[in-house]
Amino acid sequence: MTANFRQYLVGWGQADRSTGDLEYYRSGLAQPQFNGVVRVRSLDLIDQAVATARVRLADVPWWWWVGPDSPAGTSAALVARGAVRFGVLPLMTRPLDHVADLEGPSPGLSIEAPRRAAGL
C-alpha cells in the first residue's frame, strides 16, 4: 500500500523526480503535497539526502513523507537536521481475503446528502 502511495506521489514529479536512494518528486506547483520526498532508503545517506532535497526542491513548498516503509529513526534524524514535524496521517488497511460480515452501518455513522454546494 505504501509503495502504491509513493508511486502516486512521484507521478506528480513532472519537473523533476528520482526513485533512487532518495525518492522525491517536484511538480513545480506552489503546494507542498505536489513536491516532496517520499523515502530515503538508508539513514546512512540522510545528510546527503537532506542536502539533495533542499537543492532539488528549492523555491517550491515541499514536505518529507515518513511512512512505515521508511527506515526506523527517519523522523528523529530529520528533526535533528532542522525539520519540523507537520502532522500525522493515519494509515488504515483492510484484509482483502474475506468480506466483512456487516449487518448495518457502524454505530454513530451519519450520512448526509449536501443540499447546496456550500455543504460540500
Side-chain angles (χ1 to χ4, degrees):
M1 188 166 124
T2 53
N4 189 29
F5 183 58
R6 277 195 320 275
Q7 184 178 11
Y8 166 75
L9 291 173
V10 171
W12 283 101
Q14 297 303 312
D16 189 11
R17 68 176 151 212
S18 170
T19 56
D21 291 331
L22 175 67
E23 296 181 49
Y24 69 90
Y25 59 102
R26 179 188 172 113
S27 70
L29 298 173
Q31 293 292 328
Q33 67 264 31
F34 302 127
N35 309 286
V37 175
V38 289
R39 184 170 61 166
V40 62
R41 293 190 181 275
S42 168
L43 288 186
D44 294 338
L45 307 170
I46 194 69
D47 289 320
Q48 178 184 353
V50 169
T52 299
R54 286 181 173 152
V55 169
R56 296 293 190 178
L57 299 169
D59 302 325
V60 292
W62 62 281
W63 50 35
W64 192 305
W65 296 90
V66 178
D69 58 345
S70 296
T74 300
S75 291
L78 292 171
V79 168
R81 286 156 182 83
V84 176
R85 187 177 198 164
F86 181 73
V88 176
L89 296 173
L91 180 66
M92 298 184 292
T93 62
R94 179 183 188 106
L96 299 176
D97 59 349
H98 68 279
V99 177
D101 186 19
L102 299 175
E103 294 180 17
S106 298
L109 176 66
S110 173
I111 300 173
E112 280 183 45
R115 295 186 191 345
R116 294 181 297 229
L120 296 175

